[in-house]
């Protein structure tokens, strides 16, 4: 898709929007006597508004991710980036999006909140990506396709060529949610956003980076798409405390922890496969395992009664009989396995 075609996907009211200009947009210096934003002059450490453009944080993220600052959006979790795709591109009550099923529940919830219809496309056998069905589900009102790779809750990653085929042939924006990319043996698609202006790649600091409580989600896209998202976001969407704390946290590498989780994922999968109550352990490229069991509801209740909380996906389309189990510390995983070992099939 050309940049011209992407521009044509933007909601007309957003294309016409004059965004809010903050006091910090109008005077960009850092030294001086600041009497422009009605802040308190008494220092609390937080009496000044935060940088609405998150320049220092984006600079660090740019170095770590190898993507220019202009191609990076940071939001209050990926949730904000998901919502912004609806608010920038989808006219409520008129437009629709296409989403794979099963996948992350927030796409459909966000669509419903924005009064945008979702055209669900079922994944194939063992959760494979039905490339042609995804494209065939689009019509003239489809503004975005939501893909998630590695996918939650199935755990599998889709082939890069298939994802790019959809990006190159879709009449809409294509979101690839890479929340679990750090646990995956395939490279990220974020380096393609310059060449593919209809591609938006989401990542998050909530999983491998261990910062779920801070709320920081990333979106990588063509600078024009990032500019649109930035015009629509709340001006001060990332607090000063979060910006400062994340910059500090980004100094501690996560490679060793990621390696440990990936090794534990293999061990736990092996152990689960040997249990009579386990029918199937799906291949995972994420920090969780989707497990088909003989009686998901009974096993879920048993685990809860022993203080082990997993996600029961039994009622999710395509996941009947399945539990989604996050990989924890070795001792935690062992306790989970112990409960399952003692279940009478
Ligand atoms: C956990 C998860 C996220 C992260 O959301 P945040 O709002 O950044 O915490 C995003 N997408 C998927 C598919 C997830 O599973």
């Amino acid at each position: 898709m050309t940049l011209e075609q992407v521009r044509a996907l933007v909601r007309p009211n957003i294309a016409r929007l004059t965004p809010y200009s903050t006091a910090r947009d109008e005077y960009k210096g850092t030294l001086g006597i600041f009497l422009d934003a009605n802040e308190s002059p008494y220092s609390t450490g937080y009496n000044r508004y935060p940088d609405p453009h998150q320049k220092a944080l984006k600079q660090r993220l740019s170095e770590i991710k190898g993507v220019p600052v202009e191609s990076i959006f940071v939001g209050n979790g990926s949730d904000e980036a998901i919502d912004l795709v609806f608010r920038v591109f989808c006219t409520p009550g008129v437009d629709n999006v296409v989403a794979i099923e099963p996948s992350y529940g927030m796409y459909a919830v966000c669509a419903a909140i924005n009064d945008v219809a979702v055209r669900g496309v079922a994944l194939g056998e063992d959760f494979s990506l039905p490339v042609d069905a995804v494209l065939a589900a689009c019509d003239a009102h489809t503004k975005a396709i939501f893909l998630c790779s590695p996918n939650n809750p199935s755990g599998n990653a889709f082939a890069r060529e298939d994802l790019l085929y959809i990006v190159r042939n879709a009449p809409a924006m294509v979101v690839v949610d890479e929340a679990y990319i750090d646990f995956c043996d395939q490279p990220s698609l974020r380096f393609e956003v310059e060449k593919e202006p209809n591609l938006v790649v989401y990542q998050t600091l909530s999983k491998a980076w261990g910062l779920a409580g801070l709320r920081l989600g990333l979106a990588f896209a063509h600078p024009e798409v990032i500019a649109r998202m930035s015009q629509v976001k709340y001006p001060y969407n990332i607090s000063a405390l979060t910006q400062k704390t994340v910059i500090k946290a980004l100094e501690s590498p996560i490679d060793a922890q990621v390696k440990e989780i990936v090794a534990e994922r293999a061990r736990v999968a092996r152990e689960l496969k040997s249990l009579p109550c386990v029918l199937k352990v799906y291949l995972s490229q994420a920090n969780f395992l989707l497990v088909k069991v003989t009686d998901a509801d009974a096993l879920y209740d048993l685990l809860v009664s022993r203080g082990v909380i997993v996600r029961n996906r039994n009622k999710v389309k395509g996941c009947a009989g399945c539990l989604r189990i996050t990989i924890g510390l070795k001792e935690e995983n062992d306790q989970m396995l112990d409960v399952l070992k003692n279940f009478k099939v």
Side-chain angles (χ1 to χ4, degrees), residues 77-79 104 107 148 152 177 179-180 204 206-207 215-217:
S78 306
D79 298 340
Y104 188 41
Y107 313 138
C148 182
N152 177 8
D177 187 339
Y180 300 98
T204 179
S206 294
K207 307 285 156 67
R215 309 307 302 131
L216 204 101

Side-chain angles (χ1 to χ4, degrees), residues 294-314:
T294 51
D295 188 340
D297 293 342
L299 274 161
Y300 175 81
D301 290 342
L302 177 69
L303 282 162
V304 168
S305 76
R306 302 292 160 81
V308 180
I309 324 302
V310 300
R311 201 89 199 268
N312 187 354
R313 302 283 77 186
N314 190 25

Side-chain angles (χ1 to χ4, degrees), residues 272 275-279 291-312 314 321-323 325 336-345:
L272 283 168
L275 302 180
C277 66
V278 172
L279 300 175
V291 186
K292 186 169 270 183
V293 292
T294 51
D295 188 340
D297 293 342
L299 274 161
Y300 175 81
D301 290 342
L302 177 69
L303 282 162
V304 168
S305 76
R306 302 292 160 81
V308 180
I309 324 302
V310 300
R311 201 89 199 268
N312 187 354
N314 190 25
C322 289
L323 301 176
I325 305 176
M336 177 274 297
L337 288 165
D338 261 350
V339 177
L340 295 193
K341 272 174 203 158
N342 292 316
F343 181 71
K344 301 275 172 292
V345 181

